[in-house]
Amino acid sequence: MSAWESFWHQLTLLMTAGLAIFLAFVGDMVRLYHIQEQGGALVTKAQIFPAMLRSMLMGIIATSISQYLSAAYQVPELAGGALGGVLGYLGPSVIGVAVKYV
């Protein structure tokens, strides 16, 4: 791989990570509003910062999984963005479930 190809690969990986983090934040906010719709606690401004932190964690995990799947099974790395949204909605509790499964 030439230096130019390596540069573009790293740039697309960075964009995938950004997309995964953004979609994880959207997924987390959807989950919070879904809980509110079902009669749970109201969504407040105080919940946005923790949602951003969870989104960063879930987005980075989604990007890592996406890169592994791309190398092992030729899945497009952009799938990490969609995976970020799913992990954002499910939240960090999915990490414990994945560890138990492995």
Side-chain angles (χ1 to χ4, degrees), residues 6-95:
S6 179
F7 169 76
W8 281 112
H9 178 73
Q10 292 300 318
L11 186 63
T12 58
L13 190 59
L14 180 65
M15 290 188 318
T16 300
L19 179 64
I21 291 170
F22 174 72
L23 290 178
F25 178 72
V26 170
D28 198 3
M29 294 307 293
V30 166
R31 180 180 56 81
L32 291 174
Y33 280 109
H34 188 227
I35 291 170
Q36 177 180 321
E37 273 183 358
Q38 294 178 338
L42 295 176
V43 178
T44 63
K45 291 180 188 177
Q47 293 172 319
I48 293 177
F49 184 70
M52 290 166 64
L53 292 177
R54 282 190 303 267
S55 302
M56 282 190 244
L57 173 68
M58 296 285 97
I60 290 169
I61 290 172
T63 304
S64 300
I65 292 172
S66 167
Q67 191 172 13
Y68 167 74
L69 292 175
S70 176
Y73 303 106
Q74 289 75 39
V75 174
E77 286 181 342
L78 254 160
L83 187 59
V86 170
L87 290 178
Y89 184 82
L90 294 175
S93 63
V94 77
I95 296 171

